[in-house]
Amino acid sequence: MKTLQTQYNLLQEGKGHKDVFVKEAKRLFPNVVPNSATFDQTVTFLKHKNLISEGTKFLGMSTPQDNFFTKFNSFLTEEAKAEEKKATKEVEEKETAAYDYKDEKNLDNQIFDQVMRGIRFELEQDPELTLEKATDKVKKNLAKNQLHYLEKAAFGLKDVGYTVEAPGLGEPKEATGKYKSSGYGNLKENKN
């Protein structure tokens, strides 16, 4: 299905049918084009409402080969060549100007749950600690390892936590074989 603008352009070139254009305009815009309108009246109404225009040539184009799409493609190729490998100094300065999110000693840059867990653990281990000293310990521990209190004090007990070094644990291995979608891989049947 051609748009009204396309149909109008074809009519200007001597191609297409005026009756089809008028019927389509009446169907699409019944509030703009009355049923009794002729071709010339239909064109006038549509132009008045800016639904069609006389020329579709882009500004600044001199030849048919120099159209919008070729200019846009050349612009994209130029932009792709101008891609920077490393951020400039100005960009890096503006990145950290408002907030330094790379500072690991800042608790706002840590996992909130780990901060709370760490403060609670440190205060339970040594009730004589002040909140500031416990917070300093937490900062130091979380700067080394963001999951320190999950791995070393997960249940409120010292040196008890999640680990991958126990037998049967470790990095998971992907199942292979005929039944890999079940998660078991190749099944060995018991032939007793």
Side-chain angles (χ1 to χ4, degrees), residues 11-25:
L11 285 171
Q12 295 298 98
E13 295 172 9
K15 304 173 186 175
H17 299 285
K18 291 181 180 180
D19 293 333
V20 174
F21 174 77
V22 172
K23 285 181 184 177
E24 189 70 18

Side-chain angles (χ1 to χ4, degrees), residues 56-105:
T56 58
K57 187 175 181 182
F58 295 105
L59 295 176
M61 286 199 286
S62 57
T63 63
Q65 293 83 15
D66 194 22
N67 65 13
F68 170 77
F69 299 106
T70 55
K71 284 186 175 184
F72 186 69
N73 286 338
S74 65
F75 170 75
L76 287 179
T77 55
E78 289 173 13
E79 285 295 313
K81 292 176 187 174
E83 190 174 302
E84 292 183 10
K85 302 295 182 203
K86 185 180 174 192
T88 62
K89 183 179 177 184
E90 180 180 305
V91 171
E92 288 177 355
E93 287 174 0
K94 288 188 177 187
E95 185 179 68
T96 59
Y99 183 77
D100 187 15
Y101 59 90
K102 293 180 181 178
D103 181 20
E104 292 180 355
K105 294 218 175 197

Side-chain angles (χ1 to χ4, degrees), residues 119-150:
I119 291 173
R120 181 177 180 198
F121 175 76
E122 295 298 340
L123 290 175
E124 285 176 355
Q125 290 298 314
D126 188 7
E128 300 295 321
L129 277 178
T130 63
L131 184 60
E132 291 79 24
K133 288 185 180 181
T135 305
D136 290 338
K137 270 186 157 182
V138 170
K139 282 181 190 179
K140 187 176 83 174
N141 289 335
L142 290 179
K144 294 177 194 171
N145 179 7
Q146 287 188 337
L147 299 175
H148 176 79
Y149 292 100
L150 183 67

